[in-house]
Amino acid sequence: YVTVGRDRLDREMRQAGLGSLEALNEDILHQVMDALAKEGLKFSTIEDLFAAIGGDTLRPSKVMHRLQPLVVPLQTEPDMAEVLAVAPPPGTKVVLNMAGAGGLLARLANCCHPLPVDDIVGYISRGRGIVIHHSQCRSLKRLLEREAGRKVRTNWEELGMDRFEAAVIVIANDRTGLLRDVTQQIHEMHLNMGAISTTTSRKGIATIQLTLQINHMYQLDEALHRIQSLRDVKSAERDRRGFVDEPAGN
């Protein structure tokens, strides 16, 4: 039921233009679960939510009704097809051999996008191996509040990964060609982007969220410097809003 439910929700999201479930911040799913709980539909874990969808006890449309306001649809400029071509997911999966558990697949969490400079924590998920989170990840904190026994210690040396996704947020005065200029900087560095979205406030302030696929931290530093130097860009930095030690919205 879990796999069936996950596939159903993923299909609904793609049809609505909200991207894939794999790329969705897990914290958003927890917000959906909190909203459903207020309606008397309580689920202990995300897997329980998927199982309810797969078992036909929860309609995907009901989840989508709560999910859509929380997710920014992918928006691109018409002439950016080549530059914005979505790259395949990076090879950020390895197998960890744990005592008493055999080989478990480990992957980096999409909610916090941990990088080699971060302290990390592993979380044993149901049916998906070990998910590696930033130690200050807000989603991880929620998960451990429910099931602390699923926490495992790990480190970058043990993981041996060499490809990562860095979450970036850009704040700028909106203008024609802004998105094109930002993505052109990434294109010139020969980096791939995993996802990109943009919103504009009533005051004309654009917020661009994107993920960069990198092999080294200096690539992220250079990309941020390039974007920061563009006309009308106010800031370009790593997106830390999913961390518990960072105020939401900073």
Side-chain angles (χ1 to χ4, degrees):
Y1 287 152
V2 172
T3 300
V4 173
R6 184 185 294 119
D7 290 344
R8 286 179 179 175
L9 185 56
D10 180 74
R11 185 164 55 251
E12 291 279 344
M13 288 182 59
R14 291 176 186 274
Q15 291 176 350
L18 301 182
S20 68
L21 179 61
E22 180 71 19
L24 184 67
N25 189 317
E26 292 180 5
D27 191 47
I28 292 179
L29 286 177
H30 284 295
Q31 292 180 51
V32 171
M33 290 166 59
D34 290 342
L36 291 173
K38 294 178 181 179
E39 300 177 16
L41 299 171
K42 297 184 179 181
F43 303 98
S44 299
T45 65
I46 292 175
E47 285 76 13
D48 290 343
L49 176 69
F50 292 152
I53 297 174
D56 294 324
T57 58
L58 177 65
R59 296 192 308 275
S61 59
K62 193 173 188 67
V63 177
M64 288 294 295
H65 177 70
R66 293 295 183 182
L67 181 63
Q68 283 182 302
L70 303 174
V71 181
V72 180
L74 185 65
Q75 300 178 20
T76 61
E77 296 182 7
D79 59 343
M80 293 301 294
E82 180 179 352
V83 176
L84 295 182
V86 177
T92 54
K93 297 181 180 179
V94 297
V95 175
L96 290 181
N97 292 307
M98 299 183 61
L104 291 177
L105 183 68
R107 65 180 182 85
L108 301 181
N110 291 321
C111 50
C112 54
H113 294 290
L115 296 175
V117 294
D118 302 328
D119 291 330
I120 53 176
V121 174
Y123 177 83
I124 303 176
S125 64
R126 289 188 175 90
R128 305 187 74 183
I130 300 176
V131 182
I132 308 301
H133 291 262
H134 189 292
S135 62
Q136 298 300 311
C137 173
R138 185 176 289 112
S139 294
L140 174 67
K141 182 175 183 294
R142 289 192 178 196
L143 291 169
L144 294 179
E145 286 174 351
R146 293 186 172 101
E147 298 178 280
R150 292 182 174 274
K151 177 180 178 179
V152 293
R153 293 183 178 180
T154 188
N155 56 66
W156 290 111
E157 183 177 354
E158 181 181 27
L159 292 173
M161 293 178 174
D162 60 0
R163 300 187 72 186
F164 313 92
E165 283 200 335
V168 172
I169 183 168
V170 180
I171 307 298
N173 293 320
D174 193 29
R175 61 172 171 81
T176 301
L178 174 64
L179 184 60
R180 179 193 62 235
D181 291 348
V182 169
T183 53
Q184 182 62 32
Q185 296 303 312
I186 308 305
H187 182 67
E188 290 178 358
M189 290 182 63
H190 305 289
L191 296 179
N192 291 326
M193 288 182 291
I196 184 168
S197 65
T198 179
T199 57
T200 303
S201 71
R202 294 180 179 179
K203 295 183 179 180
I205 301 299
T207 300
I208 301 174
Q209 297 171 260
L210 56 91
T211 54
L212 298 180
Q213 296 174 9
I214 63 174
N215 300 100
H216 307 282
M217 288 301 298
Y218 74 80
Q219 294 172 311
L220 174 61
D221 293 338
E222 181 181 347
L224 294 177
H225 177 73
R226 281 171 168 259
I227 296 171
Q228 179 73 65
S229 66
L230 292 172
R231 177 170 60 90
D232 291 320
V233 170
K234 295 175 176 291
S235 65
E237 57 190 20
R238 183 180 177 189
D239 192 346
R240 300 175 180 272
R241 294 174 299 171
F243 301 164
V244 294
D245 60 344
E246 295 285 341
N250 277 11

